[in-house]
Amino acid sequence: MQRSPSAAPPVPAAPRRDLQTTLDGLMDGLAAAAGAEAGALYLLDVDHGDLALVGGSGLPPSALGHRVASGEGLVGQVLATSRSVLSVDATLDPRALRRRQDWEGPDPVRSFLGQPLRAGTVVWGVVELTSRHADAFGPRERVRVATLADAAALLIEQARLAAQPPPAALEQMVVSEDAPLGMLTVNARQRVTSANTALARLLGQPVEALVGRAAMAVLPVLGRPRARDAMEAALRGTPGHLSLVRGADPQGHEQSLGLSFIPLGDPSRGVVGIVILVLDITERARLEAELRAQNARALEARDRLRAVVEVVSHELRTPLTSVLGYARLLHDRLDAPPASRARWGELVLDKARLMARLVDEITDLARLGSANFVLRREAVDLVAFLRETVDDLGTLSDHHRITLGVHVASCHLSIDRDRIAQVLGNLIANAVKYWPEGGEIALTLRRTNERTAAAAVEIGVADRGPGIPPELAERIFEPFFRGQEGQARQVSGTGLGLAVSKGIVEAHGGRIWMEANPGGGAVFRFSLPEGPRDAGAAVEV
């Protein structure tokens, strides 16, 4: 990739065989984790200040010994800046120098991902991952490689331990205190032999309280099936990485961790233990979940806005067409009989009222939950109020009869009289619209939870119409939702009445819901809390 290995400086000694085998396995794992076709491990020659390629995965033999100066080519850029470098198409990248066999020829390297090897502030070398396909690496691969590269740097830092007998090396190994990750070493019996302060802080315990204990007792997430399998695979010589494992912190709060498992020793002679890197990604996982939720809400809001435009345009277009048509008749047919002109005028007024009601409902929906929405509370005799409502709404239909069943001796509440009348009007009008055959609409009043501090009254509106499927019991209170498609086409309306009613009831401190009528049809109920209120008070919600 850069200058040839004919330069005078000798290649720095590769790590001893045990560590070399581990690092070769790690390079295989890095390449697999990133979906790379090849990987190279460069170590820093401190005496000469450049890098030498000492091992890798999927490389031609001629690549070993290749040297790269700091700042030279893509690998040199990684060393010079101590930062990862990503090139989506190295054939077009002016920073790339093609002086290595696998970077030349008819099928050259195209994608490049380089990551510095460092423990704390010390840079030991560079990991290079390549692919012959453009745009093969992205942010996800970059994060995975960064985590495993820190593990490789840790192993290189502990290379001096390779000269000792493997069991002694493991027992004496002390992970870097400067490492940004939580780290611990585990022996073949799955006991913790060392840990760093970052892990101790994460677990809320001193380091000395962790050493000697079972790894799964120190870090309970290691008992999860995926983590347990990865740890056992590492003890057999296969490195692994889990990008997300969920558990609980010492306070019992949900915690998200990233785990990497690196074998220690030569798999052919027996792995003596593993290094486990622990990265707390709880905050990142929370932010990602919030972003997903915000994106879902944004998409839902977009769909709702589209529905608003479609419904409002449809609901306004029909009466507006009638208004324009009859207004045109009134304008053009001055000689028409007075009775016809009077009927046309009534139709114009009716359609104008319909449009005004639609605008009012949209305005109500927009105000609910804002500081502009004010309840004008007053003391109301609820029994007398419901009787008046039955009388007022009794003229809605010749085919329906509204009855009132009162199951309380008396009831006085502080409510917004007009708004609760609006709720009752919406519920009874819906019963009339969706049950055109006609029959009895039962309005009931009863008291609930009389002996508790949450005493409330409950008002119900029941019909014996077609009913509503249980799975739609919550959705019917969403703005512009009009039930099943067949019914929506047959019945006029905006789908705003129940959403507005829900907002009004909740502004009073109550709730509204729907349940199936045992005799067929649906029952809409809403509760209003009882409690002393100052009559005539205006309450902002």
Side-chain angles (χ1 to χ4, degrees), residues 167-235:
L170 180 66
E171 298 302 325
Q172 295 178 29
M173 182 175 180
V174 179
V175 297
S176 170
E177 294 300 320
D178 296 327
L181 304 172
M183 300 183 186
L184 71 158
T185 57
V186 178
N187 63 20
R189 300 188 306 276
Q190 299 188 16
R191 294 276 174 178
V192 175
T193 58
S194 65
N196 69 349
T197 55
L199 181 71
R201 286 194 301 269
L202 181 65
L203 299 178
Q205 301 182 53
V207 171
E208 53 269 21
L210 307 178
V211 177
R213 295 170 58 193
M216 292 184 189
V218 170
L219 201 60
V221 295
L222 294 175
R224 299 290 178 89
R226 290 172 58 237
R228 185 175 62 248
D229 292 347
M231 182 167 64
E232 292 174 353
L235 287 169

Coordinates of all heavy atoms in Angstrom, one line a residue, residues 167-235:
P167 N -0.8 -20.6 32.9 CA -1.7 -20.3 34.1 C -1.2 -19.2 34.9 O -1.9 -18.3 35.4 CB -1.6 -21.6 34.9 CG -1.2 -22.7 33.8 CD -0.3 -21.9 32.9
A168 N 0.2 -19.1 35.1 CA 0.7 -18.0 35.9 C 0.5 -16.6 35.2 O 0.2 -15.6 35.8 CB 2.2 -18.2 36.1
A169 N 0.6 -16.6 33.9 CA 0.4 -15.4 33.1 C -1.0 -14.9 33.4 O -1.2 -13.7 33.5 CB 0.6 -15.6 31.6
L170 N -2.0 -15.8 33.3 CA -3.4 -15.3 33.5 C -3.6 -14.8 34.9 O -4.2 -13.8 35.1 CB -4.3 -16.5 33.3 CG -5.8 -16.2 33.4 CD1 -6.2 -15.1 32.4 CD2 -6.7 -17.4 33.3
E171 N -3.0 -15.5 35.9 CA -3.3 -15.0 37.3 C -2.6 -13.7 37.6 O -3.1 -12.9 38.4 CB -2.7 -16.1 38.3 CG -3.4 -17.4 38.2 CD -4.9 -17.3 38.4 OE1 -5.3 -16.5 39.2 OE2 -5.7 -18.1 37.8
Q172 N -1.5 -13.4 36.9 CA -0.7 -12.1 37.1 C -1.2 -11.0 36.2 O -0.8 -9.9 36.4 CB 0.8 -12.4 36.9 CG 1.4 -13.3 37.9 CD 2.8 -13.5 37.6 OE1 3.5 -12.6 37.1 NE2 3.4 -14.7 37.9
M173 N -2.0 -11.3 35.2 CA -2.5 -10.3 34.3 C -3.3 -9.2 35.0 O -4.2 -9.5 35.7 CB -3.2 -10.9 33.1 CG -3.6 -9.9 32.1 SD -4.4 -10.7 30.7 CE -4.8 -9.3 29.7
V174 N -2.9 -8.0 34.8 CA -3.7 -6.9 35.3 C -4.1 -6.0 34.2 O -3.3 -5.5 33.4 CB -2.9 -6.0 36.3 CG1 -3.7 -4.9 36.9 CG2 -2.4 -6.9 37.5
V175 N -5.4 -5.8 33.9 CA -5.9 -5.0 32.8 C -5.6 -3.6 33.0 O -5.4 -3.1 34.1 CB -7.4 -5.3 32.6 CG1 -7.7 -6.7 32.2 CG2 -8.2 -4.9 33.8
S176 N -5.5 -2.8 31.9 CA -5.1 -1.4 31.9 C -6.1 -0.6 32.7 O -7.3 -0.6 32.5 CB -5.0 -0.9 30.5 OG -4.9 0.5 30.5
E177 N -5.6 0.2 33.6 CA -6.4 1.1 34.4 C -6.8 2.3 33.5 O -7.8 3.0 33.9 CB -5.7 1.6 35.6 CG -5.4 0.5 36.6 CD -6.7 -0.2 37.2 OE1 -7.6 0.6 37.4 OE2 -6.7 -1.4 37.3
D178 N -6.1 2.6 32.5 CA -6.4 3.7 31.6 C -7.4 3.4 30.5 O -7.9 4.3 29.8 CB -5.1 4.3 30.9 CG -4.1 4.8 32.0 OD1 -4.6 5.3 33.0 OD2 -2.9 4.7 31.7
A179 N -7.7 2.1 30.4 CA -8.6 1.7 29.3 C -10.0 2.3 29.5 O -10.5 2.4 30.6 CB -8.7 0.2 29.3
P180 N -10.6 2.8 28.4 CA -11.9 3.4 28.5 C -13.0 2.4 28.7 O -14.1 2.8 29.0 CB -12.1 4.1 27.1 CG -11.2 3.3 26.2 CD -10.1 2.8 27.0
L181 N -12.8 1.1 28.5 CA -13.8 0.1 28.7 C -13.6 -0.6 30.0 O -12.6 -0.7 30.6 CB -13.7 -0.9 27.6 CG -13.7 -0.4 26.1 CD1 -13.4 -1.5 25.2 CD2 -15.1 0.2 25.8
G182 N -14.8 -1.2 30.5 CA -14.7 -2.1 31.6 C -14.0 -3.4 31.1 O -14.4 -3.9 30.1
M183 N -13.0 -3.9 31.8 CA -12.3 -5.1 31.4 C -12.2 -6.0 32.6 O -11.9 -5.6 33.7 CB -11.0 -4.7 30.8 CG -11.0 -3.8 29.6 SD -9.4 -3.6 28.9 CE -9.7 -2.4 27.7
L184 N -12.2 -7.3 32.3 CA -11.9 -8.3 33.3 C -11.3 -9.6 32.6 O -11.6 -9.8 31.5 CB -13.1 -8.7 34.2 CG -14.2 -9.5 33.5 CD1 -15.0 -10.2 34.6 CD2 -15.2 -8.7 32.7
T185 N -10.5 -10.3 33.4 CA -10.0 -11.5 32.9 C -10.6 -12.7 33.6 O -10.9 -12.6 34.8 CB -8.4 -11.6 33.0 OG1 -8.1 -11.4 34.4 CG2 -7.8 -10.6 32.1
V186 N -10.9 -13.8 32.9 CA -11.6 -14.9 33.5 C -10.7 -16.1 33.2 O -10.3 -16.3 32.0 CB -13.0 -15.0 32.9 CG1 -13.7 -16.3 33.5 CG2 -13.8 -13.8 33.2
N187 N -10.5 -17.0 34.2 CA -9.7 -18.2 33.9 C -10.6 -19.3 33.4 O -11.8 -19.1 33.2 CB -8.9 -18.7 35.1 CG -9.9 -19.0 36.3 OD1 -11.1 -19.3 36.1 ND2 -9.4 -19.0 37.5
A188 N -10.0 -20.5 33.1 CA -10.7 -21.6 32.5 C -11.9 -22.1 33.4 O -12.8 -22.7 32.9 CB -9.8 -22.8 32.2
R189 N -11.8 -21.8 34.7 CA -12.9 -22.2 35.6 C -14.0 -21.1 35.7 O -14.8 -21.2 36.5 CB -12.3 -22.5 37.0 CG -11.3 -23.6 37.0 CD -10.9 -24.0 38.4 NE -10.5 -22.9 39.2 CZ -9.2 -22.4 39.2 NH1 -8.3 -23.0 38.4 NH2 -8.9 -21.4 40.0
Q190 N -13.8 -20.1 34.8 CA -14.8 -19.0 34.8 C -14.8 -18.2 36.1 O -15.9 -17.7 36.5 CB -16.2 -19.5 34.4 CG -16.3 -20.2 33.1 CD -17.7 -20.5 32.6 OE1 -18.7 -20.0 33.2 NE2 -17.8 -21.4 31.6
R191 N -13.6 -18.1 36.7 CA -13.4 -17.2 37.8 C -12.7 -15.9 37.4 O -11.8 -16.0 36.6 CB -12.6 -17.9 38.9 CG -13.3 -19.1 39.5 CD -14.3 -18.7 40.6 NE -15.1 -19.8 41.1 CZ -15.9 -19.7 42.1 NH1 -16.1 -18.5 42.7 NH2 -16.7 -20.7 42.5
V192 N -13.1 -14.8 38.0 CA -12.4 -13.5 37.7 C -11.0 -13.5 38.3 O -10.9 -13.7 39.5 CB -13.3 -12.4 38.2 CG1 -12.6 -11.0 38.0 CG2 -14.6 -12.3 37.5
T193 N -10.0 -13.2 37.5 CA -8.7 -13.1 38.0 C -8.2 -11.7 38.1 O -7.2 -11.4 38.8 CB -7.7 -13.9 37.1 OG1 -7.8 -13.4 35.7 CG2 -8.1 -15.4 37.1
S194 N -8.8 -10.8 37.3 CA -8.4 -9.3 37.5 C -9.5 -8.5 36.8 O -10.3 -9.0 36.0 CB -7.1 -9.0 36.8 OG -7.2 -9.2 35.4
A195 N -9.6 -7.2 37.2 CA -10.6 -6.3 36.7 C -10.0 -4.9 36.8 O -9.1 -4.6 37.6 CB -11.9 -6.4 37.5
N196 N -10.5 -4.0 36.0 CA -10.0 -2.6 36.1 C -11.1 -1.7 36.8 O -12.2 -2.1 37.1 CB -9.7 -2.0 34.7 CG -10.9 -1.8 33.8 OD1 -12.0 -2.3 34.1 ND2 -10.7 -1.2 32.7
T197 N -10.7 -0.5 37.1 CA -11.5 0.4 37.9 C -12.8 0.8 37.1 O -13.8 1.1 37.7 CB -10.7 1.6 38.3 OG1 -10.2 2.2 37.1 CG2 -9.6 1.3 39.3
A198 N -12.7 0.8 35.8 CA -13.8 1.2 35.0 C -14.9 0.2 35.2 O -16.1 0.6 35.3 CB -13.5 1.3 33.5
L199 N -14.6 -1.1 35.2 CA -15.6 -2.1 35.5 C -16.1 -2.0 36.9 O -17.3 -2.2 37.2 CB -15.0 -3.5 35.2 CG -16.0 -4.7 35.4 CD1 -17.1 -4.6 34.3 CD2 -15.3 -6.0 35.5
A200 N -15.2 -1.8 37.9 CA -15.6 -1.7 39.3 C -16.6 -0.5 39.4 O -17.6 -0.7 40.2 CB -14.4 -1.5 40.1
R201 N -16.4 0.6 38.8 CA -17.3 1.7 38.8 C -18.6 1.3 38.2 O -19.7 1.7 38.8 CB -16.7 2.9 38.1 CG -15.6 3.6 38.9 CD -15.4 5.0 38.3 NE -15.0 4.9 36.9 CZ -13.7 4.8 36.5 NH1 -12.7 4.8 37.4 NH2 -13.4 4.8 35.2
L202 N -18.6 0.6 37.1 CA -19.8 0.2 36.4 C -20.7 -0.7 37.3 O -21.9 -0.6 37.4 CB -19.5 -0.5 35.1 CG -20.7 -1.0 34.3 CD1 -21.5 0.2 33.8 CD2 -20.1 -1.9 33.1
L203 N -20.0 -1.6 38.1 CA -20.7 -2.5 38.9 C -20.9 -2.0 40.4 O -21.6 -2.7 41.1 CB -19.9 -3.8 39.0 CG -19.7 -4.5 37.7 CD1 -18.9 -5.8 37.9 CD2 -21.0 -4.9 37.0
G204 N -20.4 -0.8 40.7 CA -20.6 -0.3 42.0 C -19.9 -1.1 43.1 O -20.4 -1.1 44.3
Q205 N -18.7 -1.7 42.8 CA -18.0 -2.5 43.8 C -16.5 -2.2 43.7 O -16.1 -1.9 42.6 CB -18.3 -4.0 43.6 CG -19.8 -4.4 43.8 CD -19.9 -5.9 43.6 OE1 -19.3 -6.7 44.3 NE2 -20.8 -6.3 42.7
P206 N -15.7 -2.4 44.7 CA -14.3 -2.3 44.6 C -13.7 -3.4 43.8 O -14.3 -4.5 43.8 CB -13.8 -2.3 46.0 CG -14.9 -3.0 46.8 CD -16.1 -2.6 46.1
V207 N -12.5 -3.2 43.2 CA -11.9 -4.2 42.4 C -11.7 -5.5 43.2 O -11.9 -6.6 42.7 CB -10.6 -3.7 41.8 CG1 -9.8 -4.8 41.1 CG2 -10.9 -2.6 40.8
E208 N -11.2 -5.4 44.4 CA -10.8 -6.5 45.2 C -12.1 -7.4 45.5 O -11.9 -8.6 45.8 CB -10.2 -6.1 46.5 CG -10.9 -5.1 47.3 CD -10.6 -3.7 47.0 OE1 -10.0 -3.4 45.9 OE2 -10.8 -2.8 47.8
A209 N -13.3 -6.8 45.5 CA -14.5 -7.6 45.7 C -14.9 -8.4 44.5 O -15.8 -9.3 44.6 CB -15.6 -6.6 46.1
L210 N -14.3 -8.1 43.3 CA -14.6 -8.8 42.1 C -13.7 -10.0 41.9 O -14.2 -11.1 41.4 CB -14.6 -7.9 40.9 CG -15.3 -6.6 41.0 CD1 -15.1 -5.8 39.7 CD2 -16.8 -6.9 41.2
V211 N -12.5 -9.9 42.2 CA -11.5 -11.0 41.9 C -11.8 -12.2 42.8 O -12.0 -12.2 43.9 CB -10.1 -10.5 42.2 CG1 -9.0 -11.6 42.0 CG2 -9.7 -9.3 41.3
G212 N -11.7 -13.4 42.1 CA -11.9 -14.6 42.7 C -13.3 -15.2 42.7 O -13.6 -16.3 42.9
R213 N -14.3 -14.3 42.3 CA -15.7 -14.7 42.2 C -16.0 -15.3 40.8 O -15.3 -15.1 39.9 CB -16.6 -13.5 42.5 CG -16.5 -13.0 43.9 CD -17.2 -11.7 44.1 NE -18.6 -11.8 43.8 CZ -19.4 -10.7 43.6 NH1 -18.9 -9.5 43.7 NH2 -20.7 -10.9 43.3
A214 N -17.1 -16.0 40.8 CA -17.6 -16.6 39.5 C -17.9 -15.4 38.6 O -18.5 -14.4 39.0 CB -18.8 -17.5 39.7
A215 N -17.5 -15.5 37.3 CA -17.8 -14.4 36.4 C -19.3 -14.1 36.2 O -19.6 -12.9 36.2 CB -17.2 -14.8 35.0
M216 N -20.1 -15.1 36.3 CA -21.6 -14.8 36.1 C -22.1 -14.2 37.4 O -23.1 -13.5 37.3 CB -22.3 -16.1 35.9 CG -22.0 -16.7 34.5 SD -23.0 -18.2 34.2 CE -22.3 -18.8 32.7
A217 N -21.5 -14.3 38.5 CA -21.9 -13.6 39.8 C -21.5 -12.2 39.7 O -22.2 -11.3 40.2 CB -21.4 -14.3 41.0
V218 N -20.3 -11.9 39.2 CA -19.8 -10.5 39.1 C -20.6 -9.8 38.0 O -21.0 -8.6 38.2 CB -18.3 -10.5 38.7 CG1 -17.8 -9.1 38.3 CG2 -17.5 -11.1 39.8
L219 N -20.8 -10.4 36.9 CA -21.6 -9.8 35.8 C -22.7 -10.7 35.4 O -22.6 -11.6 34.5 CB -20.6 -9.6 34.6 CG -21.0 -8.5 33.5 CD1 -21.1 -7.2 34.2 CD2 -19.9 -8.5 32.4
P220 N -23.9 -10.5 36.0 CA -25.0 -11.4 35.8 C -25.4 -11.6 34.4 O -26.0 -12.6 34.0 CB -26.1 -10.8 36.7 CG -25.4 -10.0 37.7 CD -24.2 -9.5 37.1
V221 N -25.2 -10.6 33.5 CA -25.6 -10.7 32.1 C -24.9 -11.8 31.4 O -25.3 -12.3 30.4 CB -25.4 -9.4 31.3 CG1 -26.3 -8.3 31.8 CG2 -24.0 -9.0 31.3
L222 N -23.7 -12.3 32.0 CA -23.0 -13.4 31.4 C -23.8 -14.7 31.5 O -23.5 -15.7 30.8 CB -21.6 -13.6 32.0 CG -20.7 -12.4 31.8 CD1 -19.4 -12.6 32.6 CD2 -20.3 -12.3 30.3
G223 N -24.8 -14.7 32.3 CA -25.7 -15.9 32.4 C -26.8 -15.9 31.4 O -27.5 -17.0 31.2
R224 N -26.9 -14.8 30.6 CA -27.9 -14.9 29.5 C -27.4 -15.8 28.4 O -26.2 -16.0 28.2 CB -28.1 -13.5 28.9 CG -28.6 -12.4 29.9 CD -30.0 -12.7 30.2 NE -30.6 -11.7 31.2 CZ -31.1 -10.6 30.9 NH1 -31.3 -10.2 29.6 NH2 -31.6 -9.8 31.8
P225 N -28.3 -16.5 27.8 CA -27.9 -17.6 26.8 C -26.9 -17.1 25.8 O -25.9 -17.8 25.6 CB -29.3 -18.0 26.2 CG -30.3 -17.7 27.2 CD -29.8 -16.5 27.9
R226 N -27.1 -16.0 25.2 CA -26.2 -15.5 24.1 C -24.8 -15.2 24.7 O -23.8 -15.6 24.1 CB -26.8 -14.3 23.4 CG -28.0 -14.6 22.5 CD -28.6 -13.3 22.0 NE -27.7 -12.5 21.2 CZ -27.4 -11.2 21.5 NH1 -27.9 -10.6 22.6 NH2 -26.6 -10.5 20.8
A227 N -24.8 -14.6 25.9 CA -23.5 -14.2 26.5 C -22.8 -15.5 27.0 O -21.6 -15.6 26.9 CB -23.8 -13.2 27.6
R228 N -23.6 -16.4 27.6 CA -23.0 -17.6 28.1 C -22.4 -18.4 26.9 O -21.2 -18.9 27.0 CB -24.0 -18.5 28.8 CG -23.4 -19.7 29.5 CD -24.5 -20.5 30.3 NE -25.6 -20.9 29.5 CZ -26.8 -20.5 29.5 NH1 -27.1 -19.5 30.4 NH2 -27.8 -21.0 28.8
D229 N -23.1 -18.5 25.8 CA -22.5 -19.2 24.7 C -21.3 -18.6 24.1 O -20.3 -19.3 23.7 CB -23.6 -19.3 23.5 CG -24.8 -20.2 23.9 OD1 -24.7 -20.9 24.9 OD2 -25.8 -20.1 23.2
A230 N -21.3 -17.2 24.1 CA -20.1 -16.5 23.6 C -18.9 -16.7 24.5 O -17.8 -16.9 24.0 CB -20.4 -15.0 23.4
M231 N -19.1 -16.7 25.8 CA -18.0 -16.9 26.7 C -17.5 -18.3 26.6 O -16.2 -18.5 26.6 CB -18.5 -16.6 28.2 CG -17.4 -16.8 29.2 SD -17.9 -16.1 30.8 CE -19.2 -17.2 31.3
E232 N -18.3 -19.3 26.5 CA -17.9 -20.7 26.4 C -17.1 -20.9 25.0 O -16.1 -21.6 25.0 CB -19.1 -21.6 26.5 CG -19.7 -21.7 27.9 CD -20.9 -22.5 28.0 OE1 -21.4 -23.0 26.9 OE2 -21.4 -22.7 29.1
A233 N -17.6 -20.2 24.0 CA -16.9 -20.3 22.7 C -15.5 -19.7 22.8 O -14.5 -20.2 22.2 CB -17.7 -19.6 21.6
A234 N -15.4 -18.6 23.5 CA -14.1 -17.9 23.7 C -13.1 -18.8 24.5 O -11.9 -18.9 24.2 CB -14.3 -16.6 24.4
L235 N -13.7 -19.5 25.4 CA -12.8 -20.5 26.2 C -12.4 -21.6 25.3 O -11.4 -22.3 25.7 CB -13.6 -21.0 27.4 CG -13.7 -19.9 28.6 CD1 -14.7 -20.4 29.6 CD2 -12.4 -19.6 29.2

